[in-house]
Amino acid sequence: MMLTRIGLVICVLSTLAFRLKPDSSFNRSSISRSSQQSPVMKQEVDQLLAATNQARAAKRMTQLQQDSKLMTAAQQYAERMAAEDELSHTLGGLRLPDKARQVGYAFRKLSENIAYNTELNSRFVVNEQWMKSKGHRQNLMASDISQIGIGIAGPSKRTQRYYYCQIFGQPL
């Protein structure tokens, strides 16, 4: 069987939306420090944000604003997935609230979309994968979020995959 498209995206949905106050007793297990992003990766992050906000604008929804803390959390987690070459919402037992707390983000609500792709193509991930998946689309189009963090890392050494992470938030 011949495939005409090389890019394959596998998406996993975070079905948990957290509406909690930060827990000061959180165990701060380490995530590696974010490396400097190349201009190409920065462009992909910008394209992912633009595609996300275009989808929201089409439904007359407010645009999401980048939050520096969520950006750091999402980038660190994308890098961790790429380093371990594994797509998971909970690598090393790290849950979504943990990711936000590690960077000092105080939240009312959090949700997350993750994916990997064999090509570096943010618009494809948003438009062809997340928007076509009910759960991912719900995270992306939620009316009770205002901020976003975006991380992209790769290619991974073993499988040459690019890992994507969107963290959506509503601050306290």
Side-chain angles (χ1 to χ4, degrees):
M1 178 165 86
M2 192 114 162
L3 295 176
T4 57
R5 179 152 183 91
I6 294 177
L8 169 69
V9 176
I10 304 292
C11 298
V12 176
L13 168 66
S14 175
T15 57
L16 304 174
F18 294 91
R19 296 173 192 267
L20 306 169
K21 291 187 177 179
D23 178 4
S24 60
S25 66
F26 168 64
N27 179 0
R28 299 183 185 279
S29 61
S30 67
I31 289 182
S32 65
R33 284 274 186 219
S34 292
S35 59
Q36 285 285 30
Q37 280 190 328
S38 71
V40 171
M41 288 298 228
K42 286 180 183 177
Q43 182 179 12
E44 285 296 316
V45 167
D46 291 345
Q47 287 179 8
L48 197 146
L49 177 63
T52 297
N53 278 331
Q54 286 169 359
R56 291 175 65 86
K59 298 292 185 184
R60 300 181 190 263
M61 299 183 74
T62 59
Q63 303 293 285
L64 298 178
Q65 301 301 310
Q66 288 181 354
D67 176 82
S68 62
K69 291 176 180 179
L70 289 180
M71 293 294 287
T72 298
Q75 184 60 38
Q76 287 176 342
Y77 200 70
E79 289 175 8
R80 184 171 186 165
M81 288 189 296
E84 296 185 27
D85 214 351
E86 183 177 343
L87 186 70
S88 170
H89 286 283
T90 57
L91 286 177
L94 195 65
R95 298 174 314 118
L96 182 54
D98 303 334
K99 297 168 199 171
R101 290 183 189 120
Q102 280 189 314
V103 296
Y105 185 78
F107 56 89
R108 289 186 200 287
K109 181 179 180 185
L110 288 172
S111 58
E112 176 181 61
N113 288 343
I114 61 173
Y116 70 72
N117 194 4
T118 57
E119 296 177 352
L120 189 57
N121 188 339
S122 294
R123 289 193 178 276
F124 176 80
V125 170
V126 171
N127 295 321
E128 298 300 320
Q129 297 298 312
W130 287 335
M131 287 304 291
K132 291 184 177 180
S133 159
K134 181 181 178 184
H136 291 97
R137 185 175 55 252
Q138 285 175 335
N139 285 345
L140 219 143
M141 303 298 281
S143 61
D144 56 351
I145 57 167
S146 61
Q147 298 179 331
I148 188 171
I150 298 166
I152 304 172
S156 60
K157 290 182 180 177
R158 186 173 54 83
T159 63
Q160 299 298 297
R161 294 175 179 155
Y162 292 91
Y163 286 83
Y164 296 78
C165 180
Q166 284 182 317
I167 300 178
F168 305 98
Q170 182 62 37
L172 283 178

